[in-house]
Amino acid sequence: MILVVFSVVMPAKNEAENLKDVLPCLMPILRGARVLVVDDGSSDDTANVARGHGAEAVVQPFSKGNGAAIKRGVLAARSEYVVFMDADGQHDPADIPRLIAKLEEGYDMVVGARSGLSSQASIFRWGANGFYNRLASWMVGQKIDDLTSGFRIVNRKKFLSFLYLLPNGFSYPTTSTMAFLRAGYSVGFVPIN
């Protein structure tokens, strides 16, 4: 077993209310890891709520997009590994130890793979994600359980090597997963709700 030193990066835009629920569940699980809430130009109290619950707030003066917030957070993280999770409450902090356990099997990235229709926003998104997963799996010759999930843990140094490829919008999970696989890095999946 290796000792995983990690930070948590949470992109957030106008998530003050959700952070009041997410952060109290997250903080006890972390064993002293840094939590960076990247406030992507919020018009609410996101940064202050983050600080009030023991997280660090990295504030962008205007909205640059989810991917830009991820890039800003990973640059600020300075840890060996980074957990990415959304601030809106869709990811269960209790799943982080499962991602770490899979990482300790020798993976460079572990993705929380949503399983079934109940884990998707709509039947249309479920269908589209299924199609993208199959297409991406065919392209890289490896089964991809969830190409678009933003809940993941990554080797920070390897992730940084692909930073220039990542878009500022919402497709950083797709781009980073494909980049890791195309580079020959190990990507694992853990089922989540």
Side-chain angles (χ1 to χ4, degrees):
M1 182 172 156
I2 60 174
L3 176 63
V4 175
V5 179
F6 69 99
S7 300
V8 176
V9 170
M10 302 175 75
K13 182 175 179 183
N14 297 326
E15 295 291 357
E17 290 306 311
N18 288 324
L19 286 172
K20 291 176 185 176
D21 295 328
V22 173
L23 290 174
C25 295
L26 176 64
M27 300 310 262
I29 293 170
L30 298 182
R31 303 183 312 244
R34 290 176 68 206
V35 176
L36 297 111
V37 174
V38 183
D39 181 344
D40 189 36
S42 295
S43 59
D44 69 1
D45 210 23
T46 292
N48 287 329
V49 169
R51 290 183 194 109
H53 284 88
E56 297 174 42
V58 178
V59 180
Q60 301 195 136
F62 59 91
S63 181
K64 298 177 184 179
N66 182 269
I70 288 294
K71 290 188 272 189
R72 180 88 183 269
V74 77
L75 287 169
R78 298 187 310 267
S79 57
E80 187 175 1
Y81 296 94
V82 178
V83 171
F84 298 116
M85 66 182 292
D86 293 341
D88 63 4
Q90 71 172 299
H91 303 136
D92 185 354
D95 286 328
I96 292 173
R98 294 176 51 235
L99 297 179
I100 292 171
K102 186 74 171 177
L103 182 85
E104 289 176 334
E105 294 176 17
Y107 291 92
D108 300 300
M109 173 189 287
V110 176
V111 179
R114 298 161 293 187
S115 54
L117 184 57
S118 64
S119 292
Q120 299 289 336
S122 70
I123 193 166
F124 301 109
R125 184 173 282 178
W126 175 75
N129 284 344
F131 170 75
Y132 294 135
N133 292 341
R134 287 188 299 281
L135 178 62
S137 296
W138 173 77
M139 289 174 66
V140 296
Q142 177 182 331
K143 187 174 186 305
I144 297 175
D145 294 335
D146 194 338
L147 185 63
T148 62
S149 173
F151 189 34
R152 55 190 56 219
I153 186 168
V154 300
N155 176 300
R156 180 177 174 269
K157 184 176 178 183
K158 291 175 181 173
F159 190 87
L160 285 171
S161 71
F162 299 116
L163 211 60
Y164 72 98
L165 290 174
L166 303 180
N168 287 340
F170 277 101
S171 63
Y172 94 86
T174 301
T175 305
S176 62
T177 302
M178 294 299 285
F180 266 61
L181 289 168
R182 294 295 291 169
Y185 294 136
S186 300
V187 178
F189 298 90
V190 172
I192 61 165
N193 282 323

